[in-house]
Amino acid sequence: MTSATIETNESGDLEISYEQRVALTERVMELFSDWSIGKKEQMKLLGVQGKERMLTQLKYGTPVPDEQSVLQRVRHLIGIGDALCHNFPRTQAGGAVWLRHTNKYLSKRPPLTIMLEDGIPGLKQVWVNLDCTQGWD
């Protein structure tokens, strides 16, 4: 499932079925693994509170919470993952390296730092930097 398949309703809220949330959760957990993101960072990127064992539940089929802020974060993370695949088509490691190195187009901060410290606006900023089809609103 890609970020393009996530639809919004008239009020701009994301409308995602249980099955779609399961698929999105599976995809975002794969991205975290590909990017070698630690558990605390995973919790922060998802914007969820609680114990780290929640991540184990997510990894084995429990969907992310049906909360707009979490769903927005997942949408951005998957969009970032898709864009990294397009920018680094020959290796998954390229995306992981890119996330951790400073970037002159992102105020000389590593994209992962922006994503962790700036929340949803930071996720959007990184996605827009990677994907020229984003950020036209």
Side-chain angles (χ1 to χ4, degrees):
M1 179 168 271
T2 66
S3 61
T5 60
I6 300 173
E7 310 232 349
T8 58
N9 61 21
E10 299 83 32
S11 64
D13 290 338
L14 300 172
E15 288 189 346
I16 301 174
S17 70
Y18 179 86
E19 292 79 16
Q20 289 174 315
R21 284 192 299 124
V22 169
L24 291 170
T25 302
E26 185 177 299
R27 175 72 176 118
V28 81
M29 296 309 287
E30 288 173 5
L31 290 174
F32 289 156
S33 177
D34 292 346
W35 298 340
S36 301
I37 304 288
K39 289 184 178 185
K40 288 182 181 181
E41 289 82 11
Q42 290 177 30
M43 299 283 287
K44 193 163 186 178
L45 287 170
L46 289 172
V48 294
Q49 303 293 322
K51 300 191 185 262
E52 290 178 8
R53 69 175 160 222
M54 175 186 177
L55 295 171
T56 303
Q57 294 170 334
L58 295 177
K59 189 174 180 178
Y60 292 107
T62 301
V64 293
D66 191 14
E67 300 170 10
Q68 286 300 307
S69 64
V70 175
L71 296 174
Q72 286 179 1
R73 288 169 176 274
V74 168
R75 180 180 186 201
H76 291 308
L77 288 164
I78 291 173
I80 290 166
D82 291 346
L84 286 171
C85 286
H86 289 291
N87 287 312
F88 300 98
R90 297 185 186 265
T91 176
Q92 291 178 347
V97 170
W98 184 87
L99 285 171
R100 288 171 171 79
H101 282 85
T102 58
N103 185 305
K104 69 180 180 178
Y105 299 109
L106 296 170
S107 305
K108 297 186 179 181
R109 294 169 62 200
L112 183 57
T113 300
I114 293 169
M115 293 161 54
L116 289 166
E117 293 177 356
D118 299 350
I120 292 173
L123 289 164
K124 186 172 184 173
Q125 180 185 4
V126 170
W127 191 12
V128 166
N129 179 263
L130 283 167
D131 186 348
C132 66
T133 65
Q134 298 301 311
W136 290 93
D137 49 339

